Amino acid sequence: MSHWLPPLCCTRPGASHRRKGVVCQDASGWHCFQDRQGELVQVMAVADGHGGARYGRSDVGSWLACRTALNTARQLFQSQAIGAATPLSSRPTDAGPALSEPSPQQLLELQQDQGQQEQLQQDQWQQDQWQQWLGQELPQVIQRRWLRAVRRHWRVQPPADGREAFSPLLYGTTLGLVVMTPRWWGHTGLGDWDLLQLQASGSRLLSQENDPAAAGEATFSLCLNDAAAHCAPRTAIQRLDLETPAFALLLSTDGIRKSCSTDDDFFALGRYLSQAPLPQAVEPPVDLAASLDRISSQGSGDDVTVAIAHWRPEEAWHDLALVPSEQGPGGPRLQPRRPRSLDPKGQIQVAAPDHAVQGLPDEAAAASIAPSRPAPRSKPGPGPGRRPPRAIQVLIVAVLMGCLGVAALALFRLGPLGLAVSPQSPADQIPAEKVPAEQAPMSALRLERVRQQVRELCAGDGAIRSLLVQRRRSFTDLRWGWRQRQQLLDRLDLEPLEALIALSYDPASGALSDAPEFVGLQACPQLQLALARMWLESQGSAASAGLR
Amino acid sequence: MAFPDVQLSKRPLHFIYLCDCSGSMQANGKMQALNQAIRQSLPGMAEVARQNPEAKVLVRAVSFAHQARWHVAEPTPVDQLQSSWVDLQAEGLTAMGEALRLVAGVLRTPPMEQRALPPVLVLISDGAPTDDFEDGLRTLMREPWAQKAVRLAIAVGHDADLDTLQQFIGAEPSSAAVPPVAMPPVAGLAAGGDRLPGEPVPRSGRRPLQASNATSLAQYIQWASTAVVGAASMPVSQVGIPSTAESNVPLPDLPPTVIGQVVW
């Protein structure tokens, strides 16, 4: 169970970037999944590519940083129950002082004291474990995978002149990450992002870059070889229970804070941007895209990104539960949360739960979020044996249903991760690894990427056949269902030819597609013929013999 | 809930001239050339400011001779300065250290804004300091904003104390600062490009710029007021590299060298 609302992310290109035609270098996203024990976990990330000629691919770097961080967090959470599954044998014990012949009353008190003390020590020990995982292990894996991802991108999209050597510096980016579980939340990352905690009692700046080495416009970056080490100082864990009052978290790239004259202004903006939505609300309470555009145009001109999360414990949900329902005389009732990604411009993006990690078998995304088994409450609530009030139970179901609804919408529109990148960013052309929705339509930008591949193939027509033959496996895999169409489409940026193969396939006929998406690519006759031949061949060698 | 009443602001970019007005500047028309160069650079700077509306370019000037004093004390929008610039006058000694202390006083927060862009400090001198320069520099460099500043120096003529000016700029990186990235670049393609053995070290804004005539002085001041201001107006993030002296703002290319008569 979780009392976290699904996060909101929004990334907007900066005013000065728009004016000068500079690509947006910010990226953001969030992820919702269950850990190994079935606990609902949410993760949100922001990244800010450094920009400038020296960091010429930092827009891709920031996008990959978010995607890698979100997928890595999910994968690690699902391979180990962080904290909750701490083996008893390894927990510290405290025998306590030896007392001789205590009275029954003393014995009882002693046992209670020892129990509390052990619980405290155990909690502290677990917190230390989480902190170490969040501040060291997770960043190391993220950086390692990010380096692999940027190197792969470089291989697939080498520089036009071929003279420049690969360096991760080209992809340099910051990364801020917030992990939210039912019993704790924490943050990690490096670079000049800011994290605000906003609650009724006041606002706090929880994390900012203040290392002297990162003075001025300097910042730590994922491309540094000791990047993971710079994450530890930006890492902290906060415990949660139902007594924890409601609060919001606002994770932002530096464009927001640098637009404000003072920190008080920054706090005020944070409070405004992070207003909690009502359960019935279809639209978010704040038009984040418009607000961020305003902040950038009146302020720093830099790219601007926020990722916002809300912790809503019992009291808050109870209050929200009293909001009159549209369902009539049944009394106060919570509505299932509706997806918030309804901005017609597609700027506010909320993603679905996802199993999209490279190399992993495709899984049913929706199944991961559904409460397939009761989430264990390893930390008691307000009191022993106390069950959460019905309003909360209903709300949890509502949140889960909201996640499922969001999943459906996001799979339709966004891909498996809630990665929010500027529509102007070329990173938009880089898909997530997998999208479970089989027939998700492609954006115009991505289609254009495939069109470009078609043009290249048709221009060098002699190579069409040999290039397709090299991808024979993709044809076979698609035909026999070993790979899904969307898996290939998701690799568009890395393998545009495979995306073209996917679009060219009509599963109903097992032959060349005549769907508008493929027809619109305007493939030349030679390419169409070669593709048709490959589909025919994919049925088996006997069937293809006639074409040889 | 309406958009909050917060003060969103363009990031101020403070540009400060530190001008040597010692008696030696009277020789060979150096003072006149400096005034002329500054006047000529202001329209270009104003244009750069217009092209970068997210930065609010504010200019000040310190003159130093027997003592240092503010020539333009208030941070002045560059377009206003075009009509109000008063020529500097040369007289007396070279109180450069005092000038640095004067500037240090305005680089504190407050009065410096928290969200300011890295300031640009341009030191112009034709000689050597006659006061305690070291103390002035220490005072200046204690201020975080001075450490973040883009510090440039222009030597007017060949009598200028280049070592002093280099101290003001800070140590020049021995080679192009390459951060310890997670994977080394391919050998032979070091960042910043290769230089053949014996090839002269290229001119760099991280070294004092030597102006030997009025044209080159004007050119350097123009470069500082336009190209550098442009770069500082829209800075890109730099990878944090402890222990390197890389400029906080990547300096743009210097203008091509003017081959002209060596007057000073």
Side-chain angles (χ1 to χ4, degrees), chain B residues 18-183:
Chain B
L18 295 93
C19 300
D20 185 344
C21 292
S22 60
S24 58
M25 285 291 286
Q26 279 183 330
N28 297 320
K30 284 186 276 191
M31 196 76 252
Q32 187 184 357
L34 176 58
N35 281 316
Q36 180 76 359
I38 292 176
R39 278 186 186 282
Q40 284 179 348
S41 72
L42 293 176
M45 192 192 285
E47 179 57 28
V48 170
R50 274 192 291 275
Q51 290 169 3
N52 295 278
E54 287 77 23
K56 189 166 60 181
V57 181
L58 301 166
V59 183
R60 272 177 284 191
V62 172
S63 64
F64 53 94
H66 280 306
Q67 60 182 20
R69 62 185 179 86
W70 284 107
H71 185 67
V72 178
E74 290 302 314
T76 307
V78 60
D79 49 353
Q80 292 178 22
L81 195 64
Q82 290 182 76
S83 56
S84 61
W85 177 261
V86 176
D87 280 352
L88 297 156
Q89 303 296 326
E91 55 166 356
L93 302 175
T94 311
M96 194 184 291
E98 191 184 341
L100 299 185
R101 281 190 292 274
L102 205 57
V103 171
V106 300
L107 292 184
R108 296 191 186 108
T109 302
M112 276 291 283
E113 303 83 350
Q114 290 175 332
R115 310 281 179 259
L117 288 160
V120 179
L121 310 181
V122 183
L123 176 59
I124 305 159
S125 174
D126 73 334
T130 54
D131 65 348
D132 191 348
F133 170 80
E134 304 287 347
D135 178 68
L137 187 61
R138 272 195 304 273
T139 306
L140 177 71
M141 295 309 291
R142 273 199 291 266
E143 298 303 328
W145 277 114
Q147 297 163 21
K148 296 173 189 175
V150 180
R151 298 185 304 278
L152 306 172
I154 300 175
V156 183
H158 285 80
D159 290 336
D161 185 343
L162 296 181
D163 289 341
T164 298
L165 296 182
Q166 185 69 65
Q167 271 186 276
F168 170 75
I169 294 170
E172 187 190 24
S174 55
S175 61
V178 180
V181 292
M183 183 183 305

Side-chain angles (χ1 to χ4, degrees), chain A residues 55-94:
Chain A
Y55 314 96
R57 298 186 178 207
S58 60
D59 55 324
V60 178
S62 64
W63 196 93
L64 288 172
C66 281
R67 191 182 71 169
T68 304
L70 297 173
N71 274 336
T72 301
R74 183 196 66 76
Q75 200 176 13
L76 294 185
F77 263 104
Q78 290 182 340
S79 63
Q80 55 190 312
I82 307 300
T86 302
L88 283 167
S89 58
S90 63
R91 289 176 179 164
T93 56
D94 182 7

Side-chain angles (χ1 to χ4, degrees), chain A residues 358-475:
Chain A
Q358 294 164 299
L360 288 187
D362 198 13
E363 299 171 64
S368 72
I369 202 68
S372 54
R373 54 190 166 126
R377 287 177 61 104
S378 59
K379 184 167 181 64
R386 178 176 169 184
R387 290 171 60 85
R390 179 158 180 77
I392 289 194
Q393 293 176 8
V394 172
L395 181 70
I396 291 163
V397 173
V399 169
L400 292 173
M401 290 178 68
C403 278
L404 283 171
V406 168
L409 187 71
L411 292 177
F412 182 75
R413 295 185 53 175
L414 303 171
L417 297 180
L419 288 172
V421 295
S422 157
Q424 296 181 3
S425 169
D428 191 38
Q429 301 168 32
I430 306 173
E433 286 299 310
K434 297 174 184 178
V435 180
E438 187 59 20
Q439 298 295 333
M442 297 180 71
S443 70
L445 271 175
R446 299 175 70 196
L447 270 176
E448 179 53 35
R449 182 74 188 88
V450 185
R451 242 179 243 120
Q452 184 186 341
Q453 176 69 54
V454 167
R455 285 195 292 271
E456 288 170 8
L457 284 171
C458 291
D461 86 314
I464 291 178
R465 170 70 181 165
S466 59
L467 284 170
L468 293 184
V469 167
Q470 288 171 18
R471 308 299 171 108
R472 188 187 301 279
R473 179 71 185 272
S474 299
F475 289 86

Side-chain angles (χ1 to χ4, degrees), chain A residues 15-17 19-20 22 50-52 54-55 143 147 151 163 165-169 192 213 215-221 223-225 257-263 265 268-269 272 275 291 294-301, chain B residues 1-11 50-55 113-118 145 147-148 176-186 189 191 230 233-242 246 248-249:
Chain A
S16 67
H17 287 206
R19 197 178 57 254
K20 297 180 178 179
V22 176
H50 303 327
R54 194 174 191 183
Y55 314 96
Q143 193 207 13
L147 285 169
R151 179 189 274 280
R163 293 180 61 190
F166 169 74
S167 167
L169 204 63
D192 50 6
E217 304 301 313
T219 183
F220 287 125
S221 169
C223 68
L224 291 169
N225 61 4
R257 195 174 174 198
K258 284 178 177 168
S259 295
C260 300
S261 295
T262 65
D263 276 349
D265 292 319
L269 263 189
Y272 169 72
Q275 292 170 73
S291 300
R294 179 173 177 174
I295 290 166
S296 181
S297 63
Q298 295 181 10
S300 67
Chain B
M1 182 175 175
F3 196 85
D5 182 22
V6 295
Q7 194 176 353
L8 297 172
S9 61
K10 313 296 183 191
R11 298 178 71 188
R50 274 192 291 275
Q51 290 169 3
N52 295 278
E54 287 77 23
E113 303 83 350
Q114 290 175 332
R115 310 281 179 259
L117 288 160
W145 277 114
Q147 297 163 21
K148 296 173 189 175
V178 180
V181 292
M183 183 183 305
V186 172
L189 286 173
S233 297
M234 191 185 165
V236 295
S237 296
Q238 299 288 299
V239 174
I241 318 166
E246 192 179 26
N248 194 25
V249 172

